[in-house]
Amino acid sequence: MGNWVVNHWFSVLFLATWLGLNVFLFVHAFLSYEKADKYYYTREILGSTLAWARASARCLNFNSMLILLPVCRNLLSFLRGTCSFCRRTLRKQLDHNLTFHKLVAYMICLHTAIHIIAHLFNFERYSRSRQATDGSLASILSTLSHQGKEEDSWLNPMQSPNMTVEYVTFTSIAGLTGVIITIALVLMVTSAMEFIRRSYFEVFWYTHHIFIIYFIGLGIHGIGGIVRGQTEESLNESHPHRCAESFKQWDDHDSHCKHPRFEGLPAESWKWILAPGVLYILERILRFYRSQQKVVITKVVMHPSKVLELQMIKRGFSMEVGQYIFVNCPSVSYLEWHPFTLTSAPEEDFFSVHIRAVGDWTENLIRAFEQQCSPIPRIEVDGPFGTVSEDVFQYEVVVLVGAGIGVTPFASILKSIWYKFRHEDHNLKTQTASHATLNFDKATDILTGLKQKTSFGRPMWDNEFSTIANAHPRSVVGVFLCGPQTLAKSLSKCCCQYSSLDPRKVQFYFNKENF
């Protein structure tokens, strides 16, 4: 249980830091807009919803800054390489990149909802104040002319009592981009649901690229400065603490208080998203450059159950066990790229993938290769990219669990172990490769001697873990899974249950492939 506690503690610490930053930014922005004299007159019209809108906007910008980083796969591979000598608990945090990506997306949705609701109240109060004839301070502030001699004379974006909220929404930069951003966000989030992503990957793939529209809209959303505050010069001349109560005398020539002047808030979103945006663009340029390098298909094998094996070579291609690549076939779809785990070993002079028909794209790809009278389709490859399985040889004892096509990451590992034993690689830390591993290339089953290989049922995990713990009482055991989440929960629970509280004794580390 010891290593599980440490790993869990690191994950909790990371999430707590992220949540803490969100809380800090929200509270800091809220208090700034709720208490600052600069927004005294703005609050007179809008009340506390000004602070709610601006605080949520601050957190929305912060999380929009983070959302692209977990999907910069080259960056993650670089970090994994530079952290190769770091503790496992630190490297394992990189394996939660997609989980963190989803959490950040949920946080963006939360603050978007708060921001929208707050601005709905704001626009309603702008409209109500503009239509008011009661001579209140809010009504006087709302009638400050947009057509005045000075451009900084107005506070309320409603130029006339007859102007509607809908008109301002769709004719202002902030309102129109806000609508576009919200629609883009809704489409991206709904299409990323597990059911749609698994069953209609193409819908998820294309819709998720609306993020480009989202970021462009976010970058220019603040241009126009609908939300305004009093200028510094005006504050010095007519501070609201002195002049707010005497607003009816603002027009008097002998009054020491003059009409306040206002300025729009400068656009801030672009400052938050500029650096990660540039990083992501560089990431995509690198991907595009690598994808244009020629790929030669050396062998095509059609396996049972509609599984296609492609063996390929590419100049300068270098891989490690457990890594994956993105594959594109222009004749099937020019834009779609799909991830596939490499099934070859680094010691082999080619790299390979196994592709199962699970959707329109894979079915069309397999159909294209089955047409023998046609030329072999052109394939483009981007990668390889690192995964948790790269750490497999850092463990003394390894348990590999694959379900369905999820066995493919371990084909590379098993082949590499076989090559290392064959060449007597003394740097191999793993001691306990099974008899089945050492004989994986035999034509017959190692148990029965028959050509039909033995099929094994689902293991009794408690028995398996108990046996391993007893056989290796002082070893570090790496448990690797490529399979469904339900199986992940069972294995994670067993890793926690059978790890010793004494760090000198057996420790199970759970690792799950994520794409």
Side-chain angles (χ1 to χ4, degrees), residues 177-207:
T177 56
V179 172
I180 293 173
I181 290 170
T182 302
I183 294 174
L185 185 62
V186 169
L187 290 175
M188 286 189 292
V189 172
T190 54
S191 66
M193 292 190 299
E194 188 74 11
F195 169 75
I196 295 178
R197 190 166 60 87
R198 294 293 183 186
S199 303
Y200 306 97
F201 184 84
E202 292 80 5
V203 174
F204 159 76
W205 177 263
Y206 287 115
T207 307

Side-chain angles (χ1 to χ4, degrees), residues 286-328:
L286 178 59
R287 290 192 199 178
F288 176 78
Y289 169 76
R290 292 194 308 197
S291 69
Q292 297 305 301
Q293 296 175 330
K294 184 179 180 180
V295 176
V296 178
I297 299 176
T298 58
K299 189 175 183 180
V300 178
V301 182
M302 283 303 306
H303 294 285
S305 302
K306 298 191 72 174
V307 175
L308 170 68
E309 178 185 357
L310 297 178
Q311 295 184 9
M312 300 163 280
I313 56 175
K314 180 181 178 180
R315 183 178 179 181
F317 188 91
S318 177
M319 62 164 287
E320 298 293 337
V321 294
Q323 292 185 326
Y324 67 98
I325 60 175
F326 275 87
V327 175
N328 169 261

Side-chain angles (χ1 to χ4, degrees), residues 38-304:
K38 180 181 180 70
Y39 307 105
Y40 181 94
Y41 290 121
T42 313
R43 292 194 300 271
E44 191 64 30
I45 299 177
L46 302 180
S48 294
T49 52
L50 167 67
W52 282 97
R54 301 311 301 169
S56 58
R58 183 73 54 83
C59 291
L60 202 158
N61 289 335
F62 170 65
N63 287 282
S64 294
M65 177 186 72
L66 299 177
I67 191 72
L68 290 178
L69 298 180
V71 292
C72 289
R73 301 182 187 277
N74 287 296
L75 174 63
L76 295 179
S77 295
F78 171 77
L79 292 176
R80 181 181 292 279
T82 57
C83 288
S84 58
F85 297 102
C86 300
R87 293 185 60 185
R88 292 187 183 96
T89 49
L90 293 177
R91 293 200 308 273
K92 278 178 66 63
Q93 305 312 310
L94 297 175
D95 303 325
H96 303 307
N97 61 313
L98 293 183
T99 300
F100 183 63
H101 178 74
K102 294 175 183 178
L103 290 175
V104 172
Y106 295 148
M107 188 66 76
I108 289 176
C109 291
L110 172 63
H111 288 291
T112 298
I114 296 173
H115 190 70
I116 291 173
I117 293 172
H119 271 316
L120 288 176
F121 280 100
N122 288 340
F123 274 105
E124 176 60 29
R125 289 170 180 175
Y126 274 137
S127 178
R128 187 173 59 198
S129 299
R130 189 65 180 87
Q131 295 172 6
T133 58
D134 56 2
S136 62
L137 177 55
S139 66
I140 297 298
L141 291 169
S142 297
T143 57
L144 294 179
S145 176
H146 290 255
Q147 308 299 329
K149 295 180 181 179
E150 299 181 5
E151 294 182 358
D152 55 5
S153 61
W154 64 275
L155 178 61
N156 191 328
M158 300 287 187
Q159 299 181 16
S160 71
N162 298 325
M163 185 175 289
T164 63
V165 172
E166 293 77 12
Y167 179 85
V168 176
T169 299
F170 289 99
T171 57
S172 64
I173 295 177
L176 185 58
T177 56
V179 172
I180 293 173
I181 290 170
T182 302
I183 294 174
L185 185 62
V186 169
L187 290 175
M188 286 189 292
V189 172
T190 54
S191 66
M193 292 190 299
E194 188 74 11
F195 169 75
I196 295 178
R197 190 166 60 87
R198 294 293 183 186
S199 303
Y200 306 97
F201 184 84
E202 292 80 5
V203 174
F204 159 76
W205 177 263
Y206 287 115
T207 307
H208 229 56
H209 281 75
I210 298 177
F211 81 91
I212 298 173
I213 297 175
Y214 171 86
F215 276 99
I216 293 175
L218 184 64
I220 63 177
H221 180 61
I223 296 177
I226 283 185
V227 177
R228 299 165 72 83
Q230 194 172 2
T231 65
E232 289 298 324
E233 183 182 359
S234 178
L235 275 172
N236 294 331
E237 293 177 352
S238 304
H239 198 282
H241 289 177
R242 299 194 316 267
C243 302
E245 295 296 329
S246 58
F247 67 92
K248 293 184 179 180
Q249 285 78 47
W250 285 350
D251 291 326
D252 296 346
H253 293 290
D254 57 348
S255 174
H256 66 280
C257 292
K258 305 298 181 183
H259 282 98
R261 297 186 301 276
F262 304 96
E263 61 184 354
L265 303 183
E268 293 184 352
S269 297
W270 67 272
K271 300 176 184 178
W272 291 85
I273 63 177
L274 179 62
V278 170
L279 181 64
Y280 186 78
I281 290 173
L282 294 176
E283 164 95 5
R284 296 309 292 255
I285 291 174
L286 178 59
R287 290 192 199 178
F288 176 78
Y289 169 76
R290 292 194 308 197
S291 69
Q292 297 305 301
Q293 296 175 330
K294 184 179 180 180
V295 176
V296 178
I297 299 176
T298 58
K299 189 175 183 180
V300 178
V301 182
M302 283 303 306
H303 294 285

